[in-house]
């Protein structure tokens, strides 16, 4: 695709990257076939090809409008289009660049600003979120229905192993996961302990930066990334084997640190090191002898999050592990499509998110599994809200023997 970028961005690193991405796009339309919002709405501007055209206009200096912002807001950033694209267009990165420009040009109405600020204030701070969650549970009868339904039952988690194993890995605890689903990280610690691996938690570690970055407060997102690198670095410097992520949405962001901070002279090398160490828990177990695990064989439906299959390109890794361990996996129609969680999307675009949620749950339950397993806290929260079946993180299945 031929482009004539505007002078204000042409010579910047973002402009150069955007131009290179645009030049790869041949407007073939394969991306639309894999796009959840295009399938729902049937509007060219609510598919990747149309959004690329809108982004190209903004990058060439044409003023953005509220309609431009709406079509970009409706994108889930699921990156299924990247998996489908024969030309290797990095749509997600182009969207990040363009969204920030549109955010600067198009003021949001007050209630949108308020909701986004509330999300940025409450979600990325684990202690604050835990406190807010406790208050929300106490006030549940007074909450609006769409927020009330999203509150999962209170979980209690078993204690984590205290033994010191010869191998050591850092655990990316997450912002909301410890409060919403503490069993996930506890199960991860137990599983890795049985493999001779100790999980190290750095209490001062905060948000990975994903939420702010994808809500177009990219500077705040990058600052969070730098803070996390600083907190982790002493442990990394002392020979940590890996950084383990149990939430694929956080994992894909940490793996992107090298690219996102490549132009930062103080953090580029450290960011590259952090990204090289970041592993999804599935990648860790893929390389281990799993003979020590004897879980009860069960019939399950596995939901592969977009951040796992499209973002990290690890489609099939968890499915193969579960099959090796004796589980029977049911067939899931349209497994490449998003469940509608997409970080904060479920709160910002509730109507579209709800339609995707119901379609995904129907597809997962169609094979009559005993339960649904997934690999991301956002997907877990989205699915358990309306599912008739139990929803767990797949790592929990390995400690229920």
């Amino acid at each position: 695709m031929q482009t004539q970028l505007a002078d204000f961005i042409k010579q910047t690193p973002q402009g150069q990257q955007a131009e290179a991405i645009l030049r790869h796009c041949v407007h073939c339309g394969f991306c639309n076939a894999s796009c959840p919002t295009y399938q729902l709405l049937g509007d060219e501007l609510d598919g990747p090809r149309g959004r690329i055209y809108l982004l190209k206009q903004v990058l060439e200096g044409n003023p953005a409008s509220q309609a431009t912002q709406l079509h970009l807001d409706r994108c889930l950033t699921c990156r299924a289009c990247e998996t489908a694209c024969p030309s290797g267009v990095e749509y997600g990165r182009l969207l990040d660049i363009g969204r920030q420009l549109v955010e600067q040009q198009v003021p949001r109405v007050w209630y949108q600003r308020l909701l986004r600020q509330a999300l940025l204030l409450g979600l990325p701070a684990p202690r604050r979120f835990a406190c807010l969650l406790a208050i929300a549970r106490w006030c549940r009868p007074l909450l609006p229905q769409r927020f009330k339904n999203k509150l999962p039952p209170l979980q209690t988690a078993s204690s984590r192993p205290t033994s010191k194993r010869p191998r050591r890995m850092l655990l990316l605890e997450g912002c909301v996961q410890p409060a919403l689903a503490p069993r996930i990280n506890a199960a991860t610690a137990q599983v890795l302990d049985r493999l001779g691996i100790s999980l190290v938690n750095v209490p001062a570690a905060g948000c990975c930066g994903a939420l702010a970055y994808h809500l177009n407060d990219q500077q705040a997102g990058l600052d969070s990334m730098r803070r996390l690198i600083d907190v982790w670095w002493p442990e990394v410097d002392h020979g940590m084997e890996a950084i383990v992520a149990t939430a694929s949405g956080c994992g894909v962001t940490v793996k992107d640190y090298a690219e996102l901070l490549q132009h930062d002279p103080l953090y580029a090398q450290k960011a590259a090191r952090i990204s090289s160490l970041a592993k999804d828990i599935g990648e860790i177990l893929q390389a281990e002898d799993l003979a020590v695990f004897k879980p009860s064989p069960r019939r399950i439906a596995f939901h592969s999050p977009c951040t796992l299959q499209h973002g990290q390109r690890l489609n099939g890794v968890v499915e193969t592990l579960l099959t090796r361990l004796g589980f029977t996996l049911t067939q899931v129609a349209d497994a490449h499509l998003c469940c509608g969680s997409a970080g904060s999307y479920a709160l910002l675009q509730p109507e579209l998110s709800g339609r995707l949620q119901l379609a995904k749950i129907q597809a997962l339950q169609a094979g009559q599994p005993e339960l649904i397993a997934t690999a991301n806290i956002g997907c877990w929260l989205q699915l358990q809200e309306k599912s008739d079946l139990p929803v767990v993180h797949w790592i929990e299945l390995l400690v229920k023997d």
Side-chain angles (χ1 to χ4, degrees):
M1 183 189 298
Q2 294 299 314
T3 59
Q4 295 291 331
L5 265 60
D7 290 340
F8 75 90
I9 196 169
K10 188 172 185 178
Q11 300 303 323
T12 67
Q14 293 85 357
Q16 291 167 0
Q17 186 175 25
E19 186 169 30
I21 295 170
L22 285 168
R23 288 185 181 278
H24 276 93
C25 180
V26 296
H27 263 215
C28 64
F30 283 112
C31 54
N32 281 348
S34 66
C35 176
T37 52
Y38 181 77
Q39 291 194 18
L40 287 180
L41 302 172
D43 187 333
E44 177 74 13
L45 296 179
D46 284 311
R49 184 168 61 181
R51 292 187 180 113
I52 287 173
Y53 179 74
L54 291 174
L55 293 166
K56 177 177 180 288
Q57 287 185 310
V58 173
L59 290 162
E60 290 182 337
N62 295 296
S65 65
Q66 288 187 334
T68 306
Q69 189 175 66
L70 175 63
H71 291 300
L72 298 184
D73 282 350
R74 284 176 177 167
C75 177
L76 294 136
T77 324
C78 68
R79 295 169 65 176
C81 55
E82 293 186 14
T83 300
C85 179
S87 301
V89 174
E90 295 179 76
Y91 169 82
R93 181 59 186 140
L94 181 66
L95 185 68
D96 285 337
I97 295 169
R99 272 178 167 168
Q100 186 179 36
L101 295 176
V102 173
E103 197 77 13
Q104 294 166 357
Q105 293 182 26
V106 183
R108 291 188 179 274
V109 295
W110 68 269
Y111 56 84
Q112 289 183 352
R113 294 197 305 272
L114 183 62
L115 178 54
R116 286 167 177 259
Q117 285 302 314
L119 292 172
L120 290 171
L121 181 67
L123 297 186
R127 291 182 182 177
R128 187 183 303 146
F129 176 78
C131 182
L132 292 170
L133 181 63
I135 294 171
R137 285 192 168 119
W138 187 73
C139 299
R140 182 172 185 149
L142 305 176
L143 293 176
Q145 194 63 39
R146 71 182 176 115
F147 291 107
K148 185 187 302 184
N149 291 343
K150 292 190 178 298
L151 287 177
L154 184 65
Q155 276 194 13
T156 56
S158 56
S159 59
R160 302 189 190 187
T162 57
S163 53
K164 302 295 183 182
R165 298 299 189 180
R167 298 168 61 188
R168 298 170 72 243
M169 297 181 182
L170 273 172
L171 176 64
L172 176 57
E173 290 276 350
C175 296
V176 302
Q177 186 165 290
L180 287 172
R183 292 175 187 166
I184 297 174
N185 287 343
T188 302
Q190 293 168 24
V191 167
L192 292 182
D193 181 71
R194 293 182 66 179
L195 294 171
I197 301 169
S198 287
L199 270 186
V200 177
N201 173 33
V202 180
C207 180
C208 69
L211 181 70
Y213 195 85
H214 293 299
L215 281 176
N216 304 326
D217 192 350
Q218 294 185 5
Q219 190 55 55
L222 294 172
D223 288 342
S224 293
M225 296 173 196
R226 295 183 184 102
R227 281 194 295 270
L228 187 54
I229 291 171
D230 287 339
V231 171
W232 274 345
W233 196 253
E235 296 289 352
V236 170
D237 216 21
H238 282 83
M240 280 293 158
E241 185 177 336
I243 298 170
V244 183
T246 55
S248 58
C250 300
V252 72
T253 297
V254 177
K255 287 183 176 183
D256 282 345
Y257 277 16
E259 179 181 354
L260 295 173
L261 292 169
Q262 63 181 311
H263 300 294
D264 187 322
L266 297 178
Y267 283 88
Q269 285 189 316
K270 288 183 177 181
R273 175 68 174 148
I274 293 292
S275 290
S276 70
L277 289 173
K279 304 290 181 186
D280 183 80
I281 182 61
E283 291 179 277
I284 300 295
L285 296 194
Q286 187 182 37
E288 301 295 328
D289 182 0
L290 303 183
V292 295
F293 301 106
K294 304 294 182 184
S296 302
R298 305 184 73 176
R299 181 178 175 85
I300 66 176
F302 179 67
H303 167 61
S304 183
C306 301
T307 44
L308 189 71
Q309 61 172 311
H310 305 306
Q312 299 189 53
R313 301 297 176 98
L314 295 176
N315 199 33
V317 169
V318 175
E319 294 92 328
T320 300
L321 283 170
L322 292 173
T323 302
R324 281 172 55 193
L325 289 164
F327 294 99
T328 299
L329 271 61
T330 63
Q331 291 293 318
V332 179
D334 295 324
H336 65 287
L337 292 180
C338 184
C339 69
S341 172
S344 57
Y345 191 92
L347 296 174
L348 297 173
Q349 300 288 334
E351 193 272 332
L352 291 177
S353 174
R355 291 169 66 182
L356 292 169
Q357 177 191 48
L358 292 177
K360 180 58 67 175
I361 290 172
Q362 288 173 3
L364 289 164
Q365 294 183 162
Q368 298 183 323
E370 298 175 54
L371 56 81
I372 296 169
T374 187
N376 187 52
I377 184 64
C379 302
W380 174 85
L381 189 65
Q382 178 85 336
L383 297 174
Q384 64 84 36
E385 179 187 352
K386 296 286 180 67
S387 174
D388 297 326
L389 300 173
V391 182
V392 300
H393 189 291
W394 68 270
I395 197 68
E396 297 177 74
L397 300 172
L398 275 63
V399 296
K400 294 181 179 179
D401 31 354

